[in-house]
Amino acid sequence: MQNPVIILGAQEMGVLALDAFQSNDVVVYCFLDDQVALQQKEVNEITVMGNTEDENILKLLGKKCDVFVAAEDSAARKSMTKMLKEDYKVVPVNAIHKFSYVSEHAWLGYGNFIQAGAIVNSNAKLGDNCIIGARAVVDANAVLEDHVQLGSGAMVNAGVTIAEGAFIGTGAVIVSGVKIGKNARVGAGAVVVADVAAKQTVFGNPAKPV
């Protein structure tokens, strides 16, 4: 049985992660959040016990509690994950909603968040700290490197490679075999039929740089 989980971040992503854990009957011990207005209050009946560097809570990590990083910003998720590894020798667990589908032949790193209705098909590979939005699809043999985010309903077709830190907007379609560069951004509803360079932003159907 999985240990109780401490969620770092009590805002929108944290609430969704809470729902994912509770869908699998995993106990959430508490939230930690740096927004002072939330501290010592309840969010969906779970108490925000302190900030994300509260040593009195984080000392429970390891044998007694697991942790999940629910920061909205990818840089913040990366920073918190680094702190957890260096200071507490732990990495975040995956939050996988009961009503998603993840093939037993897919490969997942740590700290990934797979929301309700999402699909991760056979031989797909997710790195660390990826966010797969509700009803998004990662098809066979697609590769998502660390800190990739897919909006709700995004479609990543077979054989696609998405480099670290890229953002794929709601309802976007990435055609089979396309490569998305590091920290690139794909707009909502875009249809990407050609490779996207690192740090490039594309929109439209077919998607073009802006």
Side-chain angles (χ1 to χ4, degrees), residues 1-8 17-18 21-22 24-32 46 49 57-69 90-95:
M1 184 175 181
Q2 185 172 329
N3 288 331
V5 177
I6 296 169
I7 299 177
L8 305 190
L18 170 65
F21 286 118
Q22 290 182 334
N24 291 291
D25 298 320
V26 175
V27 172
V28 172
Y29 180 77
C30 71
F31 287 111
L32 297 178
I46 303 297
M49 289 188 173
I57 303 298
L58 295 177
K59 69 182 181 182
L60 299 173
L61 298 178
K63 293 183 179 179
K64 294 184 178 180
C65 287
D66 292 322
V67 66
F68 179 77
V69 176
V90 298
V91 295
V93 294
N94 291 314

Side-chain angles (χ1 to χ4, degrees), residues 32-92:
L32 297 178
D33 196 283
D34 293 333
Q35 188 170 320
V36 175
L38 289 174
Q39 293 169 13
Q40 306 310 317
K41 295 183 179 179
E42 288 191 351
V43 176
N44 289 14
E45 302 180 351
I46 303 297
T47 303
V48 183
M49 289 188 173
N51 64 42
T52 57
E53 296 181 354
D54 191 322
E55 294 181 1
N56 289 325
I57 303 298
L58 295 177
K59 69 182 181 182
L60 299 173
L61 298 178
K63 293 183 179 179
K64 294 184 178 180
C65 287
D66 292 322
V67 66
F68 179 77
V69 176
E72 310 290 333
D73 178 70
S74 62
R77 289 198 304 277
K78 188 180 294 188
S79 176
M80 289 184 193
T81 300
K82 182 179 178 182
M83 176 272 290
L84 292 168
K85 292 170 74 174
E86 291 179 353
D87 296 349
Y88 297 94
K89 313 304 180 191
V90 298
V91 295

Side-chain angles (χ1 to χ4, degrees), residues 125 137-145 148 150 155-164 166-168 172-182 184-187 190-198 200 202 204-209:
K125 182 176 180 179
V137 176
V138 181
D139 213 345
N141 298 307
V143 175
L144 277 59
E145 296 182 0
V148 168
L150 304 185
M155 178 69 195
V156 175
N157 281 286
V160 167
T161 299
I162 303 180
E164 179 180 348
F167 174 86
I168 311 299
V173 176
I174 315 299
V175 172
S176 295
V178 164
K179 294 179 173 59
I180 307 294
K182 184 175 181 179
R185 298 182 66 83
V186 174
V191 178
V192 182
V193 298
D195 292 354
V196 177
Q200 192 171 60
V202 298
N205 179 8
K208 297 180 179 179

